[in-house]
Amino acid sequence: MTATRNAPPLQGKRLLLCIGGGIAAYKALELVRRLREAGAQVQVAMTAGAQQFVTPLSFQALSGLPVRTSLWDSAAEQAMGHIELARWADRVVIAPATADLLARLAHGLADDLVATLCLATTAPLTVAPAMNHRMWLHPATQANLQTLRQRGVQVIGPVDGPLAEGESGPGRLSEPEAIVAALVQAGEDIGDEAAPAFAPSGELLAGQRVLISAGPTYEDLDPVRYLGNRSSGKMGYALAAAAAAQGAQVVLVSGPVSLATPPGVERIDVRSAAQMREAVLAAMPADIYIGAAAVADYTPVKVAAQKIKKSGQSLTLEFVRTPDILAEVAAQTQSLKLVVGFAAETHDIERYARAKLTDKRLDLIIANQVGVADGGFESDQNAATAYWADGERVFPATSKTRLAEQLLELIAQRLQA
Ligand code: C5P
Protein backbone atom coordinates (compact mmCIF):
# COMPACT_ATOMS: atom_id res chain seq x y z
CA MET A 1 0.00 0.00 0.00
CA THR A 2 1.16 3.50 -0.69
CA ALA A 3 -0.64 4.82 2.40
CA THR A 4 1.42 5.35 5.53
CA ARG A 5 0.83 3.25 8.63
CA ASN A 6 -1.59 5.61 10.40
CA ALA A 7 -3.35 6.98 7.35
CA PRO A 8 -7.04 6.06 6.87
CA PRO A 9 -7.24 2.75 4.96
CA LEU A 10 -8.64 4.21 1.73
CA GLN A 11 -6.61 7.42 1.84
CA GLY A 12 -6.54 9.12 -1.56
CA LYS A 13 -8.50 6.34 -3.33
CA ARG A 14 -10.91 7.62 -5.98
CA LEU A 15 -14.12 5.64 -5.76
CA LEU A 16 -16.93 5.92 -8.25
CA LEU A 17 -20.00 4.80 -6.31
CA CYS A 18 -22.93 3.81 -8.51
CA ILE A 19 -26.34 3.55 -6.86
CA GLY A 20 -28.88 1.07 -8.25
CA GLY A 21 -32.66 1.37 -7.96
CA GLY A 22 -33.63 -0.55 -4.85
CA ILE A 23 -34.92 0.30 -1.40
CA ALA A 24 -31.42 -0.41 -0.02
CA ALA A 25 -30.29 2.79 -1.80
CA TYR A 26 -30.92 4.62 1.48
CA LYS A 27 -28.12 2.56 3.08
CA ALA A 28 -25.71 3.85 0.44
CA LEU A 29 -25.95 7.28 2.12
CA GLU A 30 -24.27 5.80 5.18
CA LEU A 31 -21.79 4.03 2.89
CA VAL A 32 -20.71 7.38 1.39
CA ARG A 33 -20.14 8.76 4.90
CA ARG A 34 -18.04 5.75 5.90
CA LEU A 35 -16.00 5.73 2.69
CA ARG A 36 -15.15 9.37 3.21
CA GLU A 37 -14.19 8.67 6.82
CA ALA A 38 -11.89 5.96 5.46
CA GLY A 39 -10.13 8.62 3.37
CA ALA A 40 -11.68 7.98 -0.08
CA GLN A 41 -12.89 10.58 -2.56
CA VAL A 42 -16.38 9.50 -3.55
CA GLN A 43 -18.07 10.46 -6.81
CA VAL A 44 -21.68 9.25 -6.94
CA ALA A 45 -23.61 8.22 -10.07
CA MET A 46 -27.26 7.12 -9.84
CA THR A 47 -29.57 5.13 -12.09
CA ALA A 48 -33.05 6.52 -12.80
CA GLY A 49 -34.47 3.88 -10.45
CA ALA A 50 -32.16 4.90 -7.61
CA GLN A 51 -33.49 8.46 -7.84
CA GLN A 52 -36.98 7.12 -7.09
CA PHE A 53 -35.73 6.06 -3.65
CA VAL A 54 -33.21 8.75 -2.63
CA THR A 55 -32.60 12.19 -4.09
CA PRO A 56 -29.29 13.10 -5.76
CA LEU A 57 -29.15 16.06 -3.38
CA SER A 58 -28.75 13.77 -0.36
CA PHE A 59 -25.75 12.07 -1.99
CA GLN A 60 -24.33 15.42 -3.03
CA ALA A 61 -24.51 16.69 0.56
CA LEU A 62 -22.64 13.63 1.86
CA SER A 63 -20.09 13.20 -0.94
CA GLY A 64 -19.36 16.90 -1.33
CA LEU A 65 -19.46 16.48 -5.14
CA PRO A 66 -22.23 17.00 -7.71
CA VAL A 67 -24.01 13.71 -8.40
CA ARG A 68 -24.13 12.29 -11.94
CA THR A 69 -27.54 11.05 -13.07
CA SER A 70 -27.64 11.07 -16.85
CA LEU A 71 -25.52 10.54 -19.95
CA TRP A 72 -27.33 13.44 -21.55
CA ASP A 73 -26.60 16.17 -18.97
CA SER A 74 -24.54 18.54 -21.10
CA ALA A 75 -23.43 20.78 -18.19
CA ALA A 76 -22.12 17.79 -16.20
CA GLU A 77 -20.53 16.29 -19.33
CA GLN A 78 -18.75 19.56 -19.99
CA ALA A 79 -17.30 19.62 -16.46
CA MET A 80 -16.12 16.00 -16.72
CA GLY A 81 -17.13 13.71 -19.58
CA HIS A 82 -18.35 10.23 -18.64
CA ILE A 83 -15.31 8.57 -20.24
CA GLU A 84 -13.07 10.86 -18.23
CA LEU A 85 -15.03 9.94 -15.10
CA ALA A 86 -14.63 6.23 -15.89
CA ARG A 87 -10.87 6.78 -16.17
CA TRP A 88 -10.74 8.91 -13.02
CA ALA A 89 -11.87 6.02 -10.81
CA ASP A 90 -9.41 3.75 -9.01
CA ARG A 91 -12.32 1.41 -8.33
CA VAL A 92 -16.00 1.36 -9.28
CA VAL A 93 -18.41 0.23 -6.55
CA ILE A 94 -22.08 -0.54 -7.19
CA ALA A 95 -24.23 -0.53 -4.05
CA PRO A 96 -26.96 -1.56 -4.13
CA ALA A 97 -26.56 -3.61 -7.31
CA THR A 98 -30.02 -4.70 -8.47
CA ALA A 99 -30.77 -7.87 -10.49
CA ASP A 100 -31.35 -5.66 -13.52
CA LEU A 101 -28.03 -3.87 -13.15
CA LEU A 102 -26.14 -7.17 -12.71
CA ALA A 103 -27.81 -8.48 -15.89
CA ARG A 104 -26.90 -5.36 -17.84
CA LEU A 105 -23.28 -5.52 -16.64
CA ALA A 106 -23.00 -9.23 -17.43
CA HIS A 107 -24.16 -8.56 -20.99
CA GLY A 108 -22.06 -5.46 -21.51
CA LEU A 109 -25.00 -3.08 -22.07
CA ALA A 110 -24.42 0.65 -22.07
CA ASP A 111 -28.02 1.84 -21.94
CA ASP A 112 -27.68 4.38 -19.16
CA LEU A 113 -24.95 6.36 -17.41
CA VAL A 114 -24.08 3.73 -14.78
CA ALA A 115 -23.84 0.83 -17.27
CA THR A 116 -21.79 3.00 -19.64
CA LEU A 117 -19.37 3.98 -16.88
CA CYS A 118 -18.90 0.31 -15.96
CA LEU A 119 -18.19 -0.60 -19.56
CA ALA A 120 -15.84 2.32 -20.12
CA THR A 121 -13.68 1.86 -17.03
CA THR A 122 -10.59 -0.32 -16.68
CA ALA A 123 -10.70 0.06 -12.89
CA PRO A 124 -11.61 -2.99 -10.78
CA LEU A 125 -15.32 -3.37 -10.13
CA THR A 126 -17.06 -4.23 -6.87
CA VAL A 127 -20.77 -5.03 -6.64
CA ALA A 128 -22.84 -5.25 -3.46
CA PRO A 129 -26.12 -6.83 -4.60
CA ALA A 130 -29.48 -6.27 -2.88
CA MET A 131 -32.84 -7.57 -4.05
CA ASN A 132 -35.75 -9.83 -3.24
CA HIS A 133 -34.43 -13.28 -2.31
CA ARG A 134 -36.30 -15.02 -5.16
CA MET A 135 -34.72 -12.66 -7.65
CA TRP A 136 -31.32 -13.32 -6.06
CA LEU A 137 -31.73 -17.10 -6.22
CA HIS A 138 -33.12 -17.08 -9.76
CA PRO A 139 -30.81 -19.02 -12.12
CA ALA A 140 -30.63 -16.00 -14.44
CA THR A 141 -29.24 -13.78 -11.67
CA GLN A 142 -26.86 -16.50 -10.50
CA ALA A 143 -25.59 -17.05 -14.07
CA ASN A 144 -25.01 -13.31 -14.50
CA LEU A 145 -23.14 -13.26 -11.23
CA GLN A 146 -20.99 -16.18 -12.30
CA THR A 147 -20.08 -14.29 -15.49
CA LEU A 148 -19.14 -11.21 -13.48
CA ARG A 149 -17.09 -13.24 -10.98
CA GLN A 150 -15.19 -14.89 -13.82
CA ARG A 151 -14.37 -11.41 -15.09
CA GLY A 152 -12.80 -10.64 -11.73
CA VAL A 153 -15.64 -8.57 -10.29
CA GLN A 154 -15.62 -8.50 -6.48
CA VAL A 155 -19.01 -9.48 -5.05
CA ILE A 156 -19.90 -8.40 -1.51
CA GLY A 157 -22.97 -10.05 0.03
CA PRO A 158 -25.93 -10.02 -0.02
CA VAL A 159 -26.65 -11.16 3.52
CA ASP A 160 -29.50 -13.24 4.86
CA GLY A 161 -32.25 -11.55 6.86
CA PRO A 162 -35.56 -9.71 6.77
CA LEU A 163 -36.31 -8.08 3.42
CA ALA A 164 -38.39 -5.01 2.61
CA GLU A 165 -41.48 -6.96 1.52
CA GLY A 166 -41.88 -8.67 4.90
CA GLU A 167 -40.12 -11.78 3.63
CA SER A 168 -36.81 -13.16 4.73
CA GLY A 169 -33.83 -14.67 2.89
CA PRO A 170 -30.57 -13.83 1.12
CA GLY A 171 -30.97 -10.40 -0.47
CA ARG A 172 -30.12 -7.73 2.11
CA LEU A 173 -27.41 -5.27 1.19
CA SER A 174 -24.26 -5.89 3.26
CA GLU A 175 -23.84 -3.34 6.03
CA PRO A 176 -21.83 -0.25 4.96
CA GLU A 177 -19.16 -1.17 7.52
CA ALA A 178 -18.73 -4.62 5.92
CA ILE A 179 -18.57 -3.11 2.42
CA VAL A 180 -15.82 -0.69 3.49
CA ALA A 181 -13.88 -3.55 5.14
CA ALA A 182 -14.16 -5.69 1.96
CA LEU A 183 -12.96 -2.77 -0.17
CA VAL A 184 -9.96 -2.24 2.07
CA GLN A 185 -9.22 -5.97 1.88
CA ALA A 186 -9.57 -6.00 -1.93
CA GLY A 187 -7.07 -3.17 -2.14
CA GLU A 188 -4.59 -5.10 -0.04
CA ASP A 189 -5.01 -8.44 -1.82
CA ILE A 190 -3.23 -7.46 -4.96
CA GLY A 191 -2.44 -3.93 -3.85
CA ASP A 192 -4.78 -1.32 -5.25
CA GLU A 193 -1.61 0.37 -6.42
CA ALA A 194 -1.53 -2.34 -9.09
CA ALA A 195 -4.58 -0.71 -10.67
CA PRO A 196 -3.82 1.63 -13.55
CA ALA A 197 -4.06 4.84 -11.57
CA PHE A 198 -1.32 3.68 -9.22
CA ALA A 199 0.91 1.27 -11.13
CA PRO A 200 3.75 2.85 -13.01
CA SER A 201 2.26 2.50 -16.45
CA GLY A 202 4.59 2.53 -19.41
CA GLU A 203 5.51 0.83 -22.62
CA LEU A 204 8.33 -1.44 -21.39
CA LEU A 205 6.51 -4.54 -22.65
CA ALA A 206 4.39 -3.00 -25.43
CA GLY A 207 3.63 -5.53 -28.15
CA GLN A 208 4.80 -8.52 -26.07
CA ARG A 209 2.52 -11.44 -25.33
CA VAL A 210 3.21 -12.51 -21.74
CA LEU A 211 1.94 -15.85 -20.47
CA ILE A 212 1.93 -16.25 -16.68
CA SER A 213 1.01 -19.24 -14.51
CA ALA A 214 -0.08 -18.45 -10.96
CA GLY A 215 -1.51 -19.95 -7.80
CA PRO A 216 -1.56 -23.53 -6.55
CA THR A 217 -2.85 -26.65 -8.28
CA TYR A 218 -5.31 -29.03 -6.67
CA GLU A 219 -4.89 -32.73 -7.35
CA ASP A 220 -8.14 -34.55 -6.64
CA LEU A 221 -7.98 -37.69 -4.52
CA ASP A 222 -11.70 -38.46 -4.56
CA PRO A 223 -14.88 -36.43 -5.12
CA VAL A 224 -14.39 -34.47 -1.87
CA ARG A 225 -10.63 -34.36 -1.19
CA TYR A 226 -7.62 -32.96 -2.93
CA LEU A 227 -3.91 -32.40 -2.46
CA GLY A 228 -3.12 -28.68 -2.62
CA ASN A 229 -0.58 -26.19 -1.35
CA ARG A 230 -0.47 -22.81 0.36
CA SER A 231 0.26 -20.64 -2.67
CA SER A 232 -2.05 -17.61 -2.65
CA GLY A 233 -1.35 -16.59 -6.26
CA LYS A 234 -0.58 -13.01 -5.14
CA MET A 235 2.87 -12.89 -6.76
CA GLY A 236 1.65 -14.18 -10.14
CA TYR A 237 -1.35 -11.82 -10.09
CA ALA A 238 0.86 -8.86 -9.19
CA LEU A 239 3.14 -9.78 -12.11
CA ALA A 240 0.15 -9.97 -14.45
CA ALA A 241 -1.08 -6.54 -13.30
CA ALA A 242 2.38 -5.01 -13.66
CA ALA A 243 2.93 -6.56 -17.13
CA ALA A 244 -0.46 -5.26 -18.35
CA ALA A 245 0.40 -1.81 -16.97
CA GLN A 246 3.58 -1.96 -19.06
CA GLY A 247 1.62 -2.49 -22.26
CA ALA A 248 1.88 -6.29 -22.56
CA GLN A 249 -0.90 -8.54 -23.78
CA VAL A 250 -1.22 -10.76 -20.71
CA VAL A 251 -2.70 -14.24 -20.38
CA LEU A 252 -2.89 -15.53 -16.82
CA VAL A 253 -3.39 -19.27 -16.29
CA SER A 254 -4.55 -19.49 -12.71
CA GLY A 255 -4.98 -22.29 -10.22
CA PRO A 256 -7.74 -21.95 -7.59
CA VAL A 257 -7.28 -18.59 -5.81
CA SER A 258 -9.57 -15.92 -4.39
CA LEU A 259 -8.12 -12.91 -6.18
CA ALA A 260 -9.69 -10.49 -8.63
CA THR A 261 -8.44 -10.56 -12.21
CA PRO A 262 -6.18 -7.53 -12.76
CA PRO A 263 -7.53 -5.03 -15.30
CA GLY A 264 -6.76 -5.82 -18.92
CA VAL A 265 -5.64 -9.40 -18.21
CA GLU A 266 -7.13 -12.49 -19.88
CA ARG A 267 -7.55 -15.15 -17.19
CA ILE A 268 -7.95 -18.88 -17.70
CA ASP A 269 -8.96 -20.84 -14.59
CA VAL A 270 -7.64 -24.37 -14.06
CA ARG A 271 -7.52 -26.80 -11.15
CA SER A 272 -4.93 -29.55 -11.62
CA ALA A 273 -1.34 -29.61 -12.87
CA ALA A 274 -2.51 -31.51 -15.98
CA GLN A 275 -5.13 -28.82 -16.72
CA MET A 276 -2.57 -26.08 -16.15
CA ARG A 277 -0.19 -27.73 -18.61
CA GLU A 278 -2.92 -28.04 -21.21
CA ALA A 279 -4.04 -24.40 -20.78
CA VAL A 280 -0.47 -23.07 -20.90
CA LEU A 281 0.39 -25.02 -24.05
CA ALA A 282 -2.89 -23.95 -25.68
CA ALA A 283 -2.14 -20.29 -24.91
CA MET A 284 1.23 -20.49 -26.67
CA PRO A 285 2.90 -18.98 -28.63
CA ALA A 286 4.06 -16.21 -26.33
CA ASP A 287 7.07 -13.91 -26.19
CA ILE A 288 7.61 -14.30 -22.45
CA TYR A 289 6.60 -17.15 -20.14
CA ILE A 290 6.63 -16.62 -16.38
CA GLY A 291 6.04 -19.78 -14.34
CA ALA A 292 4.90 -18.35 -11.00
CA ALA A 293 2.51 -21.18 -10.14
CA ALA A 294 3.20 -23.62 -7.34
CA VAL A 295 2.51 -26.70 -9.43
CA ALA A 296 2.02 -29.99 -7.56
CA ASP A 297 5.00 -32.28 -8.10
CA TYR A 298 2.91 -35.43 -7.74
CA THR A 299 -0.66 -36.40 -8.55
CA PRO A 300 -2.58 -39.53 -7.48
CA VAL A 301 -2.22 -42.48 -9.83
CA LYS A 302 -6.00 -42.66 -9.89
CA VAL A 303 -8.81 -40.47 -8.59
CA ALA A 304 -11.25 -42.57 -6.54
CA ALA A 305 -14.71 -42.41 -8.11
CA GLN A 306 -16.31 -42.48 -4.65
CA LYS A 307 -15.31 -40.95 -1.32
CA ILE A 308 -12.44 -42.94 0.21
CA LYS A 309 -13.84 -44.49 3.40
CA LYS A 310 -11.87 -44.82 6.62
CA SER A 311 -10.62 -48.34 7.28
CA GLY A 312 -7.50 -49.57 9.03
CA GLN A 313 -4.96 -47.43 10.89
CA SER A 314 -3.07 -46.15 7.90
CA LEU A 315 -3.75 -45.28 4.29
CA THR A 316 -1.34 -45.56 1.40
CA LEU A 317 -1.97 -43.71 -1.82
CA GLU A 318 0.21 -43.94 -4.88
CA PHE A 319 1.33 -40.79 -6.66
CA VAL A 320 3.08 -40.16 -9.98
CA ARG A 321 5.17 -37.18 -11.05
CA THR A 322 3.36 -34.37 -12.81
CA PRO A 323 4.83 -33.00 -16.05
CA ASP A 324 7.21 -30.08 -15.51
CA ILE A 325 5.30 -27.34 -17.35
CA LEU A 326 8.10 -24.80 -17.12
CA ALA A 327 10.73 -27.16 -18.54
CA GLU A 328 8.36 -28.20 -21.32
CA VAL A 329 7.63 -24.58 -22.26
CA ALA A 330 11.33 -23.71 -22.12
CA ALA A 331 12.05 -26.54 -24.55
CA GLN A 332 9.72 -24.88 -27.13
CA THR A 333 12.10 -22.19 -28.24
CA GLN A 334 10.43 -21.16 -31.54
CA SER A 335 8.62 -18.06 -30.33
CA LEU A 336 9.82 -17.52 -26.79
CA LYS A 337 12.26 -14.73 -26.12
CA LEU A 338 12.44 -15.21 -22.35
CA VAL A 339 11.45 -17.97 -19.93
CA VAL A 340 11.29 -17.09 -16.25
CA GLY A 341 10.89 -19.57 -13.39
CA PHE A 342 10.43 -19.27 -9.66
CA ALA A 343 12.22 -21.25 -7.00
CA ALA A 344 10.79 -21.37 -3.51
CA GLU A 345 13.50 -22.77 -1.28
CA THR A 346 14.00 -23.22 2.43
CA HIS A 347 17.84 -23.37 2.32
CA ASP A 348 20.85 -23.30 -0.04
CA ILE A 349 18.86 -20.92 -2.19
CA GLU A 350 21.48 -19.94 -4.76
CA ARG A 351 22.68 -23.50 -5.36
CA TYR A 352 19.17 -24.90 -5.93
CA ALA A 353 18.05 -21.89 -7.95
CA ARG A 354 21.04 -22.04 -10.28
CA ALA A 355 20.59 -25.79 -10.72
CA LYS A 356 16.97 -25.16 -11.83
CA LEU A 357 18.12 -22.36 -14.15
CA THR A 358 20.35 -24.82 -16.01
CA ASP A 359 18.28 -28.03 -15.72
CA LYS A 360 15.06 -26.38 -16.94
CA ARG A 361 16.93 -24.25 -19.51
CA LEU A 362 15.57 -20.95 -18.18
CA ASP A 363 16.72 -17.43 -18.93
CA LEU A 364 15.96 -16.13 -15.46
CA ILE A 365 15.00 -17.59 -12.11
CA ILE A 366 13.49 -15.71 -9.18
CA ALA A 367 14.36 -17.37 -5.91
CA ASN A 368 12.80 -16.67 -2.57
CA GLN A 369 13.01 -18.19 0.84
CA VAL A 370 9.89 -19.87 2.15
CA GLY A 371 9.22 -20.85 5.73
CA VAL A 372 10.38 -17.46 7.07
CA ALA A 373 8.21 -14.82 8.71
CA ASP A 374 6.94 -12.02 6.45
CA GLY A 375 7.59 -13.52 3.06
CA GLY A 376 6.75 -16.41 0.80
CA PHE A 377 3.45 -18.06 0.01
CA GLU A 378 0.61 -16.36 1.87
CA SER A 379 2.31 -13.08 2.70
CA ASP A 380 1.73 -9.70 1.02
CA GLN A 381 5.46 -9.10 1.28
CA ASN A 382 8.30 -10.79 -0.49
CA ALA A 383 12.05 -10.56 -0.92
CA ALA A 384 13.78 -12.30 -3.82
CA THR A 385 17.03 -12.78 -5.68
CA ALA A 386 17.03 -13.10 -9.44
CA TYR A 387 19.71 -15.26 -11.09
CA TRP A 388 20.61 -15.51 -14.75
CA ALA A 389 23.56 -17.16 -16.48
CA ASP A 390 26.07 -14.44 -15.75
CA GLY A 391 24.42 -12.25 -13.19
CA GLU A 392 22.17 -11.83 -10.19
CA ARG A 393 20.17 -9.10 -8.48
CA VAL A 394 18.87 -8.89 -4.93
CA PHE A 395 15.41 -7.41 -4.32
CA PRO A 396 14.94 -6.50 -0.64
CA ALA A 397 11.60 -7.18 1.10
CA THR A 398 8.76 -5.07 -0.26
CA SER A 399 5.10 -5.54 -1.22
CA LYS A 400 4.46 -8.20 -3.86
CA THR A 401 3.02 -5.43 -6.03
CA ARG A 402 6.21 -3.37 -5.89
CA LEU A 403 8.39 -6.47 -6.27
CA ALA A 404 6.42 -7.45 -9.39
CA GLU A 405 7.03 -4.02 -10.91
CA GLN A 406 10.77 -4.29 -10.20
CA LEU A 407 10.94 -7.83 -11.58
CA LEU A 408 9.23 -6.73 -14.78
CA GLU A 409 11.76 -3.95 -15.23
CA LEU A 410 14.48 -6.62 -14.97
CA ILE A 411 12.59 -8.88 -17.37
CA ALA A 412 12.33 -6.02 -19.89
CA GLN A 413 16.11 -5.46 -19.52
CA ARG A 414 16.90 -9.17 -19.98
CA LEU A 415 14.73 -9.14 -23.09
CA GLN A 416 17.15 -6.65 -24.64
CA ALA A 417 20.27 -8.56 -23.45
O1 C5P B 1 11.35 -27.70 -9.53
P1 C5P B 1 10.51 -26.71 -8.82
O2 C5P B 1 9.10 -27.18 -8.64
O3 C5P B 1 11.08 -26.17 -7.54
O4 C5P B 1 10.52 -25.48 -9.82
C1 C5P B 1 9.73 -24.36 -9.61
C2 C5P B 1 9.42 -23.71 -10.94
O5 C5P B 1 8.98 -24.70 -11.88
C3 C5P B 1 8.29 -22.73 -10.83
O6 C5P B 1 8.52 -21.70 -11.78
C4 C5P B 1 7.06 -23.56 -11.19
O7 C5P B 1 6.03 -22.76 -11.72
C5 C5P B 1 7.62 -24.51 -12.22
N1 C5P B 1 7.00 -25.86 -12.25
C6 C5P B 1 6.24 -26.25 -13.33
N2 C5P B 1 5.69 -27.50 -13.39
C7 C5P B 1 5.90 -28.37 -12.40
C8 C5P B 1 6.69 -28.02 -11.29
C9 C5P B 1 7.21 -26.74 -11.24
O8 C5P B 1 6.04 -25.44 -14.25
N3 C5P B 1 5.35 -29.59 -12.48
Side-chain angles (χ1 to χ4, degrees), residues 126-137:
T126 296
V127 296
M131 65 196 73
N132 171 273
H133 63 126
R134 289 195 192 87
M135 292 171 80
W136 170 251
L137 294 172

Side-chain angles (χ1 to χ4, degrees), residues 213 289 291-293 295-297 322-326 341-343 345 356 360:
S213 72
Y289 178 73
V295 186
D297 290 327
T322 54
D324 191 316
I325 305 167
L326 182 59
F342 272 75
E345 309 291 348
K356 281 175 196 169
K360 302 192 188 209

Side-chain angles (χ1 to χ4, degrees), residues 213-215 273 276-277 280 289-298 321-329 340-345 352 356 360 362 364-366:
S213 72
M276 183 169 278
R277 173 181 175 273
V280 163
Y289 178 73
I290 306 177
V295 186
D297 290 327
Y298 291 91
R321 278 290 287 272
T322 54
D324 191 316
I325 305 167
L326 182 59
E328 197 170 338
V329 168
V340 185
F342 272 75
E345 309 291 348
Y352 285 120
K356 281 175 196 169
K360 302 192 188 209
L362 312 178
L364 189 64
I365 191 147
I366 318 296

Side-chain angles (χ1 to χ4, degrees), residues 319-351:
F319 291 88
V320 284
R321 278 290 287 272
T322 54
D324 191 316
I325 305 167
L326 182 59
E328 197 170 338
V329 168
Q332 306 197 347
T333 45
Q334 304 94 324
S335 70
L336 280 163
K337 298 175 190 151
L338 203 78
V339 181
V340 185
F342 272 75
E345 309 291 348
T346 52
H347 60 286
D348 267 347
I349 298 174
E350 174 160 7
R351 188 159 64 87

